[in-house]
Amino acid sequence: MKNPKRASSEGGELAGSLAERKSRESPETADFPTNKHPRIHSRDEPPISSASSACGQEPQREVGELLRIQGTEMGVQDINNCGSVGDGQGLEFHRVQGARAAAQMRKSGGSFTVLQAAEGDLKALEDAEALWVNFFTSTPSEEKARLKGPGGRGGPSGDLMLWGNGYSNQIGMREQFHIVCGDPDAQSWPSSQTRDCTLEVVRRMKDHCVEVLKELSPQREKERQRDEQDCGDPSVIDIFWYPNEAQGVAKEKENMGDHVDPGLLTIEAPSLVPGLEIHDGEQWIRVEDPSFASRNQLVIFSGEDMEASAPEIKGTVHRVARADQGGRLSIIFELRAHQGW
């Protein structure tokens, strides 16, 4: 791979221009070679929990219809729960999964792997996904535009960069909602329910990333935690909506060109409409294919800051391919530190 595009500091991962992407030679996309990248763990997908929680809203079952846009017949149950079910495994579960993920990343000489989701992770993600699909597909454009953030700096000490936060739209390619975790209310939200459910996802995904970082670079995690306490959390969560419509630049093979994220670790649950592809140094891997990661697993990969902290873990080159199954919703959490990006 040559000259991978770096994600922007605004949180919007930058695809190359149309001319750049036409001129770039991309290796042939390959299915995941299971003999080369063994999975850490796999089990049948658990049923959706219906435990009670504090979101306090009536279920929005009509959103289940919208999720069919993403290629599933699953109806969303009890969205008011926001995924807040008890994680019976506790901290030890996260430690074990973090150790396994870090060991796998080192063993394969790669920069990405999968780990098992904790109890409640899938429910939290599905609740948030349903609300965001509803926002992107049902909210009038003028209302979306009012949710663009003010930019500038924020956080407890004014050290958090808020450029690009809130709603944005690259017409014909993708829509995005960008949130800086240390100042989540710097922009308005579509609803208080969407806020609560999204921040529940942040909490869960961050727990996973922190345990992996402790294994890969204990000193970097100590520095990150210290700076976060002093200056706020620069980590981000991005919600992307790819309409996958055959118009404009979306006619091209990619919804987002190849790049490396600037932070430490990025984590996501496989989207219901596959699109994320990772380059392993030889070929493109469809990491959202069920042969690589099931719906109750999480894909985690490294960024530029991780490579600077642990040189044996290379920054992960990835892209988002176009799909024919309809619109694609993707929720991405990126663990960041104040130094290094």
Side-chain angles (χ1 to χ4, degrees):
M1 295 298 301
K2 297 182 179 180
N3 299 323
K5 300 293 183 293
R6 173 176 170 160
S8 74
S9 59
E10 293 103 351
E13 298 158 307
L14 296 178
S17 67
L18 182 59
E20 287 174 331
R21 285 185 285 115
K22 283 184 176 180
S23 64
R24 185 169 60 242
E25 293 184 1
S26 297
E28 183 178 354
T29 300
D31 291 321
F32 171 63
T34 54
N35 61 333
K36 185 174 181 180
H37 298 283
R39 291 198 289 179
I40 295 172
H41 189 255
S42 180
R43 59 183 169 89
D44 292 336
E45 184 172 325
I48 298 174
S49 171
S50 59
S52 62
S53 179
C55 272
Q57 301 283 336
E58 288 298 314
Q60 299 183 9
R61 298 183 187 278
E62 70 274 9
V63 181
E65 298 297 320
L66 293 172
L67 281 182
R68 293 197 179 99
I69 298 172
Q70 296 195 92
T72 178
E73 294 300 319
M74 178 195 69
V76 174
Q77 303 173 15
D78 300 329
I79 277 183
N80 58 309
N81 295 334
C82 284
S84 295
V85 301
D87 286 336
Q89 300 101 329
L91 181 59
E92 184 60 25
F93 172 84
H94 286 81
R95 287 174 177 166
V96 170
Q97 289 299 311
R100 287 178 176 174
Q104 182 66 18
M105 292 170 79
R106 285 196 175 102
K107 179 180 178 181
S108 65
S111 58
F112 64 98
T113 189
V114 297
L115 52 80
Q116 191 68 25
E119 292 179 8
D121 286 350
L122 180 60
K123 176 66 169 121
L125 283 158
E126 287 178 343
D127 285 351
E129 285 172 347
L131 291 164
W132 283 109
V133 169
N134 190 30
F135 167 74
F136 285 119
T137 61
S138 301
T139 305
S141 298
E142 58 273 16
E143 291 186 24
K144 293 179 183 177
R146 286 197 287 268
L147 300 181
K148 180 177 175 61
R153 289 182 175 267
S157 58
D159 291 314
L160 298 178
M161 291 185 291
L162 303 177
W163 304 324
N165 65 317
Y167 176 78
S168 62
N169 184 7
Q170 292 195 11
I171 297 173
M173 182 173 285
R174 65 180 177 270
E175 297 177 61
Q176 177 181 357
F177 205 95
H178 176 69
I179 300 127
V180 179
C181 298
D183 197 349
D185 297 315
Q187 75 295 309
S188 297
W189 290 80
S191 69
S192 61
Q193 187 182 23
T194 304
R195 177 191 185 278
D196 292 347
C197 290
T198 303
L199 294 184
E200 176 70 10
V201 171
V202 168
R203 179 185 71 81
R204 292 171 176 276
M205 298 301 100
K206 183 177 179 180
D207 284 348
H208 286 294
C209 288
V210 165
E211 291 303 320
V212 174
L213 181 58
K214 285 179 181 177
E215 297 290 333
L216 292 175
S217 181
Q219 182 60 36
R220 191 71 179 102
E221 167 52 19
K222 290 179 182 178
E223 295 169 352
R224 186 205 65 78
Q225 189 175 53
R226 178 201 63 208
D227 292 343
E228 179 180 319
Q229 291 173 349
D230 293 339
C231 306
D233 186 2
S235 301
V236 299
I237 187 164
D238 286 288
I239 302 91
F240 293 103
W241 174 252
Y242 302 94
N244 284 321
E245 296 171 348
Q247 60 179 349
V249 292
K251 291 181 180 179
E252 299 301 309
K253 183 178 179 180
E254 301 166 10
N255 274 325
M256 186 178 293
D258 53 276
H259 64 281
V260 178
D261 288 347
L264 289 158
L265 293 165
T266 299
I267 190 169
E268 67 131 35
S271 176
L272 295 168
V273 171
L276 179 63
E277 297 177 347
I278 286 177
H279 200 269
D280 69 352
E282 298 178 0
Q283 58 192 348
W284 288 103
I285 309 298
R286 299 188 182 105
V287 296
E288 292 181 326
D289 188 278
S291 65
F292 182 83
S294 63
R295 180 64 173 162
N296 66 315
Q297 291 179 312
L298 304 169
V299 179
I300 187 166
F301 52 93
S302 57
E304 291 180 335
D305 194 9
M306 186 74 260
E307 182 174 354
S309 304
E312 72 276 17
I313 305 297
K314 304 302 180 184
T316 304
V317 180
H318 58 287
R319 67 186 183 187
V320 180
R322 283 206 65 239
D324 297 325
Q325 298 99 313
R328 175 179 186 271
L329 193 282
S330 179
I331 298 179
I332 306 291
F333 173 79
E334 183 182 349
L335 185 70
R336 290 181 175 179
H338 282 273
Q339 302 172 3
W341 74 277

